[in-house]
Amino acid sequence: MLNKVILIGRLTQNPELRYTPSGMQVATFTLALNRIYNNRQGEKVEDTTFIDIVVWQKIAESCAKYLSKGSLVAVDGRLQSRSYDDKQGIRRKVVEVVANDVRFLNSAKDSRGSVASGNKIAEDEHFASEISFNEEDIPF
């Protein structure tokens, strides 16, 4: 079986960093994925999908520190579904992506909002400070 997801999109808000009771870091954020296509009348239509992302441990801390609303990122992970009971006792189902890797695709910013140096980002092997691509490079 294969469960692999690769997404490129922009954060809809700043990541939310929390800690489990055992002290493990977990961050969550939502990615907006835009798709432009031609409808049957030949008109360009833009469609946006919103995907919830969960990251753990050091990657979670780095995301919380360097990402903010509007940041462009690539996420590599797996799809996960889970259920829970809300405050009214209604059973809810959630589908989210659990990220194994998050790549920064635009200039990283430190917690004060200034552009971080390349060396600062390069210290974390999970991130690249700048990667350029165009949509023709994407194989799907």
Side-chain angles (χ1 to χ4, degrees):
M1 302 293 158
L2 178 65
N3 183 355
K4 184 159 182 82
V5 176
I6 300 171
L7 304 169
I8 297 175
R10 294 196 180 274
L11 275 69
T12 62
Q13 59 191 14
N14 294 343
E16 181 182 334
L17 180 65
R18 296 183 314 267
Y19 295 88
T20 65
S22 66
M24 187 178 296
Q25 314 90 321
V26 59
T28 57
F29 56 88
T30 301
L31 274 188
L33 311 172
N34 293 329
R35 178 175 76 111
I36 299 173
Y37 62 94
N38 292 326
N39 65 13
R40 291 182 181 155
Q41 292 78 29
E43 303 164 335
K44 285 195 177 205
V45 178
E46 185 171 343
D47 181 39
T48 304
T49 302
F50 299 95
I51 306 292
D52 293 329
I53 309 294
V54 178
V55 291
W56 293 90
Q57 299 179 337
K58 286 195 171 268
I59 299 174
E61 284 186 345
S62 294
C63 286
K65 184 174 182 179
Y66 294 111
L67 296 178
S68 60
K69 179 179 180 178
S71 295
L72 182 65
V73 298
V75 173
D76 180 353
R78 64 181 170 82
L79 201 57
Q80 172 180 280
S81 65
R82 60 184 173 85
S83 299
Y84 69 96
D85 294 328
D86 68 11
K87 293 177 182 176
Q88 292 78 30
I90 299 171
R91 191 79 166 156
R92 301 286 182 183
K93 188 172 186 176
V94 176
V95 177
E96 57 202 2
V97 171
V98 178
N100 298 323
D101 191 24
V102 176
R103 299 283 173 164
F104 298 172
L105 300 180
N106 57 351
S107 296
K109 294 186 178 186
D110 67 19
S111 58
R112 294 178 306 280
S114 61
V115 176
S117 70
N119 290 339
K120 190 172 194 179
I121 298 299
E123 290 172 5
D124 189 340
E125 73 238 34
H126 290 287
F127 300 100
S129 61
E130 287 189 46
I131 297 173
S132 62
F133 71 97
N134 63 45
E135 291 191 21
E136 293 158 359
D137 295 332
I138 300 172
F140 50 110

